[in-house]
């Protein structure tokens, strides 16, 4: 018989036994119905799995607490004392936001912390380790605090004595100093916050990679972080962000049991219910279980136990399993009569009969597991005890809990920024705080503190001492790294002779040599999103190894080759796969290790430049906020160097995006020696005595060129770092010759060097060539100089030349145009504005008008506008090079269709070098009629001679 079901394809040794089991299920269905049968089978499956049978987890479990009340461990703290501490924190968090809005309408959020207060407080009292914890010294736990809950963290720091009323009264008032940032911003409050989290979705992603990096440090022998635990506090609405769940599989695959997500399921987004028609807790359980996480659900408070215990038929459980979140949210805002009518009608009426309407309002409406410290403690203890997988705790709460009926579970509570005097009095009574009515008059609502010598403060401080000190806390113990030997830098400074190498390869060679340094070599952290071979990094595979917590459990297919793919538990390379977001999260963890763990690491993150800033700009901003240090490398840079790759790969704008990040120092080096100088400067500034909180962005190219030696000019290294220096003066000695200054960055330096030659040989124009490794840093220095009343460096440097200035790059014109206001003479620029295209480099550059011949014609037009050359010279030059006199693309050029709307093809391309054009002119050959046979249809000398013979 042919198989009818999936398992029928497999041999069955005892079909009779299978038939008996199936008959038992059929009998149960007939006797007790499908609901009861389902519960029986769940018990059987759960028992079998716990007994060792290799059964997968079910996608979801019943909508009840994972840990029953009877299985909860004893609570180790003084619950009454902790309730008073939490009450003070709730009060001061609400007062801080209200006072800010009473005085200046500064915004802030109350409802998030109100719902999550116990989720944090239980952790602070019993779990979260400080930097001085014995088994996590110098590191402690890493806390990713939900951004909108920051007022509660400030309120707790106030109770501890780490903040005073002065600071609380300057919540969101930072301009004059001494204020508190709205959210967790390490750059704004660097002694408190460690991790920026309010750009929702980045917190969970970063937490996964932080936990993974902790393991990396341990496996590589840098630091034992096994005592540290990563806690990420998230909102259920935040889980809609794709970054929130992007790394779940990684966390499970690498068995990161040092990681716990705590998701506050208050069932509300910013504007309304998260899953109004569905069930977010069940959905998240299925998602995390499918990814391989341990899931602990905490939906109900202890008062639900009586109702559930009396539900002998499972009718209430069935109703809860299908009750949409939008209705459950409404129950929290309505009275018991409403709940009785909507939930306990029909067969469930008898279950609710023993309860008054007030009871139902309290139990069904607001008794949530996330509001009860015993249940939160049990969940946290279970998370720490679980081995082999990360844990997610799904804790249900009421958004706005304790803020009163005007706040609790209301759709608008995210936008509600203050409480009235009446509401504060009700809150005081609910929290049983000893605040007299006399202090709650018509003025600003007061902060409240039990006193520095109170029992509450003594208890709080004792608990924190036992756990290793206050948290969150960012502590920087600066330990300068010794500078590496000069040999690797000197090698690039000598140039490559006749060998052609790309600047990407120059950077990789430099880092490979630096990774051999005995002192600092092990601290380099290469981060690559699955393009290591593209960037020529395969030589690092066998020597440095690719990090994997499982080592290498297979024999690589290229094991017999010199550069084989080697994975190792002590591997140095983080080869992240195809995930720029994950790669940058790894980079951030390494870039901030100097503060998180007291261990400075030197990460470099190398990627296709198009897929860096454009794709993960928000993470770069968070990296700056977190005060990260390291090297970010945009390889295969520029709009025209990616031959054949086309629009989606051609980056001509990352430097413009990078210029917006104040912590980023962007460079576009032209030569290998510039790469060496910039990296050396970065090591000094970030890892030397200066310890600056910046990171470097270098763009490097995949275009092989002979790399020159660094000119022996005094002060050149300083000039490279500052962003501009004169690389080569014109060879023309005629003092009457028109003069121009040509500036370029990156690979465009080669175009202007060729243009310099053509200008001199063909048109007797003297052009000085300048390299501009950083347009952005020139701009920033110029703005600082203006504020300080001094002459900007770029103005001073270019003031030594004469003639107009023409800037060229493989970027949008807006990149070099950053310095235009400070250039002391006529300024024009050429760039690659628009989309990229698939073609040869030569054709792409002709399309954008940045090849050498186009630069020459543009330069002559600029000189003609100044009256420095004959007005007819630009047209003659354009004709000489086969360019249109007006400057538009050549008809028939492969780029012309995109630029001018015609349908030219490579078959009619007339792109040829100046010597070939001169031969055609002297031979009387019409180049527009010549079919090129060179690469990309380029017209060669032989093509002209063939055409001449054909005439």
């Amino acid at each position: 018989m042919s198989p009818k079901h999936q398992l029928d394809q497999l041999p069955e040794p005892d079909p009779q036994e299978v038939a008996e089991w199936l008959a038992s299920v059929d009998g149960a269905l007939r006797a007790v119905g499908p609901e009861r049968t389902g519960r029986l089978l769940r018990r059987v499956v759960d028992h079998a799995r716990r007994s060792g049978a290799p059964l997968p987890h079910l996608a979801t479990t019943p909508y009840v607490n994972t840990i029953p009340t009877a299985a909860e461990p004893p609570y180790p703290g003084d619950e009454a004392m902790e309730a008073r501490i939490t009450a003070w924190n709730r009060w001061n968090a609400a007062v801080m936001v209200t006072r800010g809005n009473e005085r200046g309408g500064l915004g802030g959020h109350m409802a998030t912390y109100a719902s999550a207060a116990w989720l944090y407080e239980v952790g602070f009292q019993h779990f979260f380790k400080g930097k001085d914890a014995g088994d996590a010294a110098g590191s402690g736990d890493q806390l990713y605090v939900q951004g909108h809950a920051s007022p509660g963290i400030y309120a707790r720091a106030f109770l501890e004595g780490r903040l005073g009323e002065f600071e609380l009264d300057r919540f969101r008032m930072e301009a004059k100093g001494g204020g508190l940032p709205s959210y967790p911003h390490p750059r704004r409050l660097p002694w408190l916050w460690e991790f920026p989290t309010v750009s929702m979705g980045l917190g969970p992603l970063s937490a996964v990679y932080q936990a993974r990096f902790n393991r990396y440090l341990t496996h590589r022998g840098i630091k034992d972080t096994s005592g540290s635990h990563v806690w990420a506090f998230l909102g259920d609405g935040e889980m809609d962000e794709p970054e929130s769940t992007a790394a779940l599989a990684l966390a499970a695959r690498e068995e990161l049991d040092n990681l716990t997500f705590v998701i506050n399921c208050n069932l509300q987004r910013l504007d309304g219910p998260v899953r109004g028609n569905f069930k977010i807790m069940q959905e998240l359980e299925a998602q995390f279980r499918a990814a391989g996480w341990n899931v602990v659900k905490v939906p109900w408070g202890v008062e639900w136990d009586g109702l559930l215990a009396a539900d002998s038929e499972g009718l209430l459980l069935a109703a809860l399993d299908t009750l949409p979140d939008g209705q459950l949210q409404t129950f929290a805002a309505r009275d018991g009569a409403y709940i009785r009518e909507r939930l306990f009608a029909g067969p469930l009426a008898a279950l609710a009969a023993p309860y008054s309407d007030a009871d139902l309002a309290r139990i069904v409406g607001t008794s949530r597991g996330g509001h009860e410290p015993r249940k939160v403690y049990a969940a946290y203890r279970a998370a720490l005890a679980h081995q082999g997988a990360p844990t997610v705790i799904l804790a249900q709460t009421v958004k706005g809990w304790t803020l009163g009926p005007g706040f609790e579970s209301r759709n608008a509570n995210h936008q509600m920024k203050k409480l009235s005097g009446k509401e504060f009095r009700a809150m005081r009574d609910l929290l049983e705080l000893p605040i007299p009515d006399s202090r709650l008059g018509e003025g600003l609502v007061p902060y409240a503190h039990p006193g520095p010598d109170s029992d509450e403060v003594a208890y709080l401080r004792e608990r924190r001492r036992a756990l290793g000190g206050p948290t969150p806390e960012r502590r920087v113990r600066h330990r300068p790294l010794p500078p590496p030997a000069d040999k690797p830098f000197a090698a690039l400074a000598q140039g490559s002779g006749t060998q052609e190498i790309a600047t990407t390869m120059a950077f990789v060679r430099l880092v490979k040599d630096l990774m051999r340094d005995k002192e600092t070599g092990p601290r380099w952290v290469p981060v690559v999103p699955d393009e290591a071979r593209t960037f020529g990094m395969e030589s690092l595979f066998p020597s440095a190894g690719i990090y994997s917590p499982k080592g290498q459990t297979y024999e690589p297919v290229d094991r017999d080759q010199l550069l084989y793919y080697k994975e190792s538990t002590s591997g140095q390379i983080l080869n992240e796969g195809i995930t720029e977001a994950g790669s940058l999260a790894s980079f951030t963890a390494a870039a901030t290790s100097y503060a998180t763990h007291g261990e400075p690491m030197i990460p470099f993150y190398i990627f296709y430049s198009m897929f860096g800033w454009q794709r993960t700009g928000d993470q770069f901003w968070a990296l700056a906020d977190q005060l990260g240090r390291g090297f970010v490398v945009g390889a295969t840079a520029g709009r025209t160097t990616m031959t054949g790759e086309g629009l989606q790969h051609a980056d001509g704008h990352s430097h413009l995006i990078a210029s917006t990040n104040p912590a980023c120092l962007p460079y576009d080096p032209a030569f290998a020696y510039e790469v060496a100088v910039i990296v050396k400067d970065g090591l000094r500034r970030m890892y030397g005595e200066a310890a600056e909180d910046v990171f470097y962005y270098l763009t490097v190219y995949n275009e092989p060129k002979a790399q020159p030696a660094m000119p022996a000019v005094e002060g050149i290294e300083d000039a490279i770092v500052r962003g501009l220096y004169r690389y080569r003066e014109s060879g023309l000695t005629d003092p009457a010759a028109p003069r121009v200054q040509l500036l370029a960055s990156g690979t465009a330096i080669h175009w202007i060097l060729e243009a310099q030659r053509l200008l001199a040989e063909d048109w007797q124009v003297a052009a000085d060539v300048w390299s501009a490794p950083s347009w952005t840093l020139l701009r920033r220095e110029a703005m600082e100089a203006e504020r300080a009343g001094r002459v900007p460096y770029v103005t001073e440097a270019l003031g030594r030349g004469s003639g107009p200035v023409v800037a060229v790059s493989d970027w949008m014109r807006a990149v070099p145009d950053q310095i235009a206001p400070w250039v002391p003479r006529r300024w024009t620029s050429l760039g690659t504005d628009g989309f990229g295209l698939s073609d040869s480099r030569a054709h792409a550059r002709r399309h954008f008008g940045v090849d050498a011949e186009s630069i020459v014609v543009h330069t002559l037009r600029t000189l003609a506008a100044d009256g420095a050359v004959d007005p007819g010279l630009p047209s003659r030059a354009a004709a000489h090079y086969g360019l249109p006199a007006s400057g538009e693309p050549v008809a028939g050029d492969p780029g012309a269709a995109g630029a001018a709307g015609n349908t030219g093809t490579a078959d009619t391309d007339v792109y040829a070098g100046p010597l070939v054009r001169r031969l055609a002119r002297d031979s009387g050959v019409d180049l527009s009629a010549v079919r090129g046979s060179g690469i990309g249809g380029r017209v060669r000398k032989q093509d002209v001679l063939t055409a001449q013979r054909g005439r």
Side-chain angles (χ1 to χ4, degrees):
M1 182 180 293
S2 300
K4 296 180 180 179
H5 304 288
Q6 184 182 27
L7 293 179
D8 290 344
Q9 301 175 81
L10 306 176
E12 178 51 63
D14 192 345
Q16 181 62 34
E17 183 180 27
V18 173
E20 291 173 359
W21 277 85
L22 296 180
S24 297
V25 174
D26 291 339
L29 287 167
R30 288 191 298 270
V32 297
E35 181 64 31
R36 175 65 177 152
T37 302
R39 293 172 67 184
L40 286 170
L41 289 176
R42 279 183 178 272
R43 284 185 176 274
V44 170
V45 169
D46 186 64
H47 176 75
R49 186 178 56 78
R50 292 176 183 274
S51 300
L55 294 173
H57 287 279
L58 297 173
T60 60
T61 59
Y63 199 31
V64 295
N65 294 343
T66 302
I67 304 171
T69 300
E72 292 172 2
Y75 194 75
D78 183 334
E79 286 187 76
M81 178 66 72
E82 292 179 20
R84 292 204 299 273
I85 290 171
T86 306
W88 292 111
N89 292 340
R90 287 180 181 278
W91 177 269
N92 288 316
V95 169
M96 179 175 64
V97 176
T98 296
R99 287 170 69 98
N101 282 285
E102 290 279 351
R103 293 181 301 164
L106 296 172
H109 304 284
M110 292 184 176
T112 295
Y113 175 72
S115 68
W118 276 114
L119 301 179
Y120 289 104
E121 198 58 36
V122 170
F124 282 127
Q125 300 289 12
H126 303 288
F127 291 96
F128 304 157
K129 295 175 184 176
K131 297 289 187 184
D132 297 321
D135 62 345
S139 299
D141 285 352
Q142 288 78 57
L143 305 184
Y144 288 77
V145 174
Q146 194 177 358
H148 292 145
S150 60
I153 309 304
Y154 291 140
R156 192 172 211 277
F158 172 63
L159 206 63
E160 291 176 302
R162 294 203 289 164
L163 291 173
E165 289 191 19
F166 176 87
E167 288 84 8
L168 295 192
D169 252 2
R170 282 153 184 78
F171 176 59
R172 297 193 169 201
M173 299 173 66
E174 300 180 84
K176 295 182 179 179
L180 298 180
S182 52
Y183 305 121
H185 293 303
R187 188 166 284 274
R188 291 301 183 207
L189 200 61
W191 61 267
L192 180 72
W193 297 119
E194 282 196 285
F195 308 106
T197 55
V198 82
S199 189
M200 288 186 282
L202 299 191
L205 178 68
S206 298
V208 169
Y209 282 89
Q210 181 66 58
R212 195 278 203 95
F213 186 74
N214 290 0
R215 290 280 174 83
Y216 172 89
L217 289 177
T218 299
H219 287 155
R220 291 200 52 229
I222 301 293
K223 183 177 184 178
D224 182 2
T225 64
S226 57
S228 292
H229 199 83
V230 178
W231 300 83
F233 288 84
L234 317 168
D236 48 359
E238 181 177 5
M239 300 310 293
D240 283 343
E241 289 284 4
E243 295 88 350
S244 294
T245 55
L248 299 188
L250 167 73
R253 186 169 62 245
E254 301 207 0
E255 301 178 353
L256 298 180
D257 50 22
N258 61 338
L259 170 67
T260 298
F261 278 13
V262 181
I263 302 181
N264 178 16
C265 296
N266 58 32
L267 313 184
Q268 289 184 245
R269 291 194 184 107
L270 308 185
D271 290 331
V274 177
R275 295 284 185 274
N277 295 307
F278 304 95
K279 305 185 74 61
I280 184 61
M281 184 174 280
Q282 300 297 84
E283 177 184 316
L284 291 175
E285 179 185 26
Q287 192 170 13
F288 277 86
R289 279 181 177 272
W293 286 54
N294 176 45
V295 179
V296 179
K297 291 196 301 189
V298 194
W300 310 122
V302 69
E303 290 197 88
W304 278 84
D305 287 354
L307 276 171
L308 292 170
D311 184 30
S312 59
E313 299 298 321
L315 299 178
L316 176 60
L317 182 60
L320 293 175
D321 278 338
T322 57
L323 182 71
D325 283 352
Q327 190 61 54
L328 184 58
Q329 178 194 356
T330 300
F331 286 162
R334 301 298 293 268
D335 58 24
Y338 178 90
I339 295 172
R340 189 183 301 275
E341 178 186 347
R342 295 299 196 281
L343 181 61
F344 293 101
L348 285 173
L351 192 63
Y355 297 91
S356 69
D357 286 351
D359 291 335
L360 292 180
R362 186 181 67 256
I363 298 170
V364 178
T366 58
S367 180
R368 302 287 189 265
H371 297 323
E372 298 188 8
R374 283 180 174 267
K375 297 200 174 296
V376 174
Y377 178 85
Y380 287 4
R381 181 58 60 199
L384 292 184
H386 189 81
Q387 296 182 344
T391 293
V392 59
I393 295 169
L394 303 173
Q396 194 154 273
T397 66
V398 173
K399 194 167 185 177
W401 178 236
T402 74
L403 296 180
F407 259 85
E408 291 172 358
S409 200
R410 303 292 177 176
N411 282 338
N413 58 23
H414 186 79
Q415 283 72 40
M416 298 164 71
K417 309 301 183 185
K418 59 184 178 180
L419 295 175
S420 67
K422 180 180 179 181
E423 289 170 324
F424 268 115
R425 282 188 286 274
M427 183 181 181
R428 173 205 58 188
D429 295 342
L430 177 65
L431 299 176
E432 298 180 347
L433 290 171
I435 303 171
D437 284 342
S438 60
R439 297 194 64 199
L440 301 177
E442 295 301 320
L444 292 174
V445 180
Y447 298 109
H449 197 290
D453 300 321
S454 64
D455 292 341
E456 292 93 330
V457 173
Y459 181 92
L460 182 152
R461 289 177 175 170
E462 186 281 325
R463 291 306 308 142
R464 289 315 313 161
R465 278 193 297 270
L467 288 166
T471 191
E473 179 189 24
R474 183 177 182 274
R475 187 186 299 179
V476 178
R477 301 160 298 282
H478 180 54
R479 178 155 53 95
L481 295 179
D486 195 55
K487 185 177 179 181
F489 304 105
L492 294 192
Q494 294 169 4
S496 63
T498 58
Q499 181 188 10
E500 292 189 339
I501 65 171
T503 51
T504 296
M505 183 55 65
F507 175 83
V508 171
R509 288 183 182 179
L510 174 63
V511 172
K512 184 178 180 180
D513 289 342
L514 291 173
M515 288 172 65
R516 296 192 181 104
D517 185 83
K518 291 183 179 180
E519 293 288 336
T520 59
R523 295 189 177 274
W524 283 88
V525 183
V527 182
V528 194
D530 199 44
E531 288 283 6
R533 294 185 188 277
T534 300
F535 308 136
M537 294 176 62
E538 62 269 26
S539 61
L540 294 178
F541 289 168
S543 58
I546 299 163
Y547 173 72
S548 170
K550 294 185 178 298
Q552 193 157 41
T553 60
Y554 62 93
E555 183 176 1
V557 67
D558 53 359
R559 183 63 180 85
D560 58 340
Q561 298 179 15
L562 179 64
L563 303 181
Y564 68 96
Y565 197 86
K566 178 184 176 183
E567 297 188 66
S568 168
T569 54
S570 60
Q572 197 164 354
I573 303 168
L574 291 173
N575 199 358
E576 301 293 10
I578 304 176
T579 167
E580 284 80 10
S583 298
L584 189 47
S586 263
F587 177 85
T588 301
T592 54
S593 179
Y594 72 93
T596 307
H597 295 295
E599 293 290 344
M601 305 298 286
I602 312 172
F604 75 88
Y605 165 37
I606 187 168
F607 52 89
Y608 260 123
S609 67
M610 183 69 164
F611 307 135
W613 289 85
Q614 173 171 291
R615 183 170 292 197
T616 55
D618 194 15
Q619 285 180 273
F620 278 113
W621 200 257
L623 168 70
D625 192 349
Q626 201 169 325
L627 293 83
R629 303 170 185 168
F631 296 95
V632 178
V633 184
T636 59
R639 188 82 82 194
T640 68
T641 63
M642 288 295 291
T643 52
E645 290 290 337
L647 182 150
Q648 199 69 19
H649 285 67
D651 174 23
H653 51 279
S654 67
H655 268 283
L656 200 60
I657 306 174
S659 72
T660 66
N661 192 309
C664 175
L665 305 184
Y667 285 96
D668 186 32
F671 303 118
Y673 68 78
E674 292 182 3
V675 172
V677 169
I678 293 164
V679 171
K680 186 176 183 180
D681 180 68
L683 292 173
R684 176 188 64 82
R685 290 183 65 175
M686 295 185 291
Y687 299 97
E689 292 292 343
E692 294 183 51
D693 296 320
V694 295
F695 64 95
Y696 279 57
Y697 175 49
L698 285 76
T699 43
V700 289
Y701 296 81
N702 64 330
E703 188 170 11
K705 294 288 184 180
Q707 298 295 329
M710 184 165 66
V713 177
E714 183 179 357
I716 188 171
E717 292 192 23
D718 178 65
I720 290 171
V721 169
R722 297 181 77 176
L724 182 68
Y725 66 98
R726 183 154 47 192
Y727 172 71
R728 179 183 296 170
E729 292 190 53
S730 171
L732 283 182
T733 58
D734 182 0
R739 184 168 289 272
V740 67
Q741 309 299 312
L742 299 180
L743 279 59
S745 67
T747 197
I749 196 76
H750 304 288
W751 315 339
I752 66 169
L753 284 170
E754 174 65 7
Q756 180 191 48
R757 185 186 68 79
L758 294 176
L759 284 165
E761 292 180 3
D762 292 351
W763 314 107
Q764 290 72 54
V765 171
D768 296 336
V769 167
W770 297 71
S771 177
S774 183
W775 309 101
T776 296
L777 295 187
L778 289 173
R779 174 181 176 271
R780 290 179 186 172
E781 190 278 337
M783 292 191 296
E784 292 174 5
E786 279 190 341
R787 287 192 291 268
R790 55 181 172 80
V791 178
Y793 170 71
V794 63
T795 305
E796 180 184 359
L798 292 177
R800 294 192 290 267
S802 61
V805 176
V806 177
V808 187
S809 77
D810 207 12
W811 308 95
M812 298 173 62
R813 290 176 58 187
V815 174
D817 282 350
Q818 291 179 91
I819 69 171
W822 298 279
V823 174
R825 52 180 52 84
R826 176 188 287 275
W827 166 274
T828 61
S829 65
L830 293 173
T832 54
D833 290 68
F835 290 114
L837 70 165
S838 299
D839 213 311
S840 66
R841 291 182 181 126
H843 288 175
R845 287 162 187 169
R846 172 58 57 93
H847 166 76
F848 286 109
V850 292
D851 61 338
E853 292 83 359
S854 298
I855 295 169
V856 168
V857 173
H858 177 83
T859 299
L860 294 175
R861 290 196 187 102
T862 303
L863 289 168
D866 284 350
V869 299
D870 184 332
L873 190 59
S875 296
R876 294 197 297 274
H880 177 67
Y881 299 125
L883 292 167
S886 60
E888 68 271 7
V890 179
D893 184 83
N902 66 25
T903 56
T905 67
D907 290 341
T908 57
D909 180 23
V910 294
Y911 181 53
L915 295 179
V916 173
R917 294 186 181 282
R918 190 173 298 146
L919 174 64
R921 181 189 60 197
D922 295 342
S923 304
V925 172
D926 180 6
L927 271 177
S928 63
V930 176
R931 183 186 180 95
S933 63
I935 296 175
R938 184 184 181 106
V939 177
R940 302 183 304 164
K941 176 181 178 182
Q942 186 61 41
D943 300 325
V944 175
L945 295 176
T946 300
Q948 182 185 30
R949 286 195 298 270
R951 293 173 56 228

